Amino acid sequence: MNTEIKKLIQELEGVVSCNLTGVDEIDEIHIIADKKRDPKRIVRDVETVCLVHKDFKIDHKKISIARIDSDFSEAMEGYANDRIELVSIYTENNRSRCNVEMKINGQEIKESFEAQIGENIEKLIGRSVLTILNKFVEFNLQLIVDDIFTIKGKEDLVIAQISMYNPENNMMQEKLVGAVHVNNNISLAIAKACLKAVNRKICNYL
């Protein structure tokens, strides 16, 4: 449980890294965060992630936050953001179709995707974004959407869970998690959560 919770926390907006203490249960959560967000909001996000995703309630007094200006990983994520731009994304009301417009290294890309059998709209959006990345970024691994869900609260939070596979042997290499607040546009939030999950991994390939 601790590993999954740690990954979710590390992808929260404003969190640079975190460490969890405790063996069977989490005793304390120590977080390094940037100065862009109020620490109280980060604490609320951590409480929500623990409660909703793992049905685990942690006392806010056990969550400590140290704030810094920036770090290397944040700089690298910014590097990727400069080269991958989500211009627009929308779904059509009368059919399960997702239309995506992105810029990758200055190249404008517009593609449209139909939902697969049994695929919900959230996974369709995630698959659409990752399909473009798999196609236009020279990345030696394949990105696959595992799950996308929303955590309800004062500020709704979209969580994107993504796996990286080696296409040569079809073996899963690593699981990635991205989290983004919903600001009146769930489609955009889902797409941004997917990009947040993979940015640090693909920045060296841009």
Side-chain angles (χ1 to χ4, degrees):
M1 178 181 76
N2 290 9
T3 301
E4 293 184 31
I5 290 292
K6 182 176 180 179
K7 284 186 176 181
L8 285 171
I9 293 173
Q10 287 184 156
E11 292 303 332
L12 291 172
E13 184 179 354
V15 174
V16 175
S17 66
C18 76
N19 185 49
L20 281 58
T21 63
V23 181
D24 296 327
E25 293 188 358
I26 298 173
D27 293 328
E28 295 179 329
I29 298 176
H30 303 282
I31 294 172
I32 296 176
D34 60 33
K35 295 183 178 180
K36 296 178 182 178
R37 297 189 70 221
D38 187 331
K40 291 182 180 179
R41 296 179 67 185
I42 295 176
V43 169
R44 286 199 298 268
D45 286 348
V46 172
E47 290 176 313
T48 301
V49 166
C50 291
L51 182 61
V52 176
H53 189 61
K54 287 298 179 183
D55 196 24
F56 170 72
K57 184 174 178 61
I58 186 167
D59 189 336
H60 69 275
K61 296 178 181 178
K62 294 184 177 181
I63 304 171
S64 64
I65 297 179
R67 303 176 75 193
I68 61 173
D69 289 323
S70 62
D71 72 346
F72 176 77
S73 63
E74 188 179 59
M76 291 302 288
E77 185 173 340
Y79 175 88
N81 286 335
D82 288 341
R83 286 156 178 76
I84 297 179
E85 178 185 354
L86 181 66
V87 178
S88 68
I89 184 165
Y90 65 94
T91 54
E92 298 179 10
N93 293 328
N94 60 340
R95 60 195 302 186
S96 297
R97 176 183 289 274
C98 179
N99 302 282
V100 185
E101 183 178 353
M102 297 176 67
K103 285 185 179 179
I104 299 179
N105 288 328
Q107 178 184 359
E108 294 187 3
I109 301 162
K110 294 182 180 180
E111 297 214 5
S112 183
F113 300 86
E114 292 275 0
Q116 298 175 347
I117 296 175
E119 184 178 47
N120 61 33
I121 195 67
E122 290 83 5
K123 279 197 173 182
L124 168 61
I125 294 169
R127 178 174 61 82
S128 301
V129 172
L130 296 188
T131 298
I132 290 176
L133 294 181
N134 286 328
K135 182 177 179 180
F136 291 95
V137 178
E138 295 182 3
F139 189 54
N140 57 0
L141 297 174
Q142 196 79 4
L143 301 167
I144 304 293
V145 176
D146 288 332
D147 195 12
I148 293 175
F149 56 92
T150 302
I151 296 176
K152 297 292 185 179
K154 288 185 178 180
E155 295 178 288
D156 290 353
L157 198 66
V158 169
I159 307 292
Q161 296 178 326
I162 295 167
S163 290
M164 294 193 307
Y165 281 85
N166 185 335
E168 294 183 359
N169 56 20
N170 203 32
M171 296 290 291
M172 197 271 289
Q173 302 296 306
E174 187 176 353
K175 286 187 175 291
L176 308 172
V177 179
V180 171
H181 284 99
V182 180
N183 293 317
N184 301 318
N185 189 331
I186 186 65
S187 298
L188 184 62
I190 291 171
K192 286 185 175 181
C194 291
L195 290 176
K196 187 174 179 64
V198 305
N199 266 349
R200 295 178 187 178
K201 293 297 178 182
I202 67 175
C203 62
N204 291 329
Y205 297 87
L206 297 172

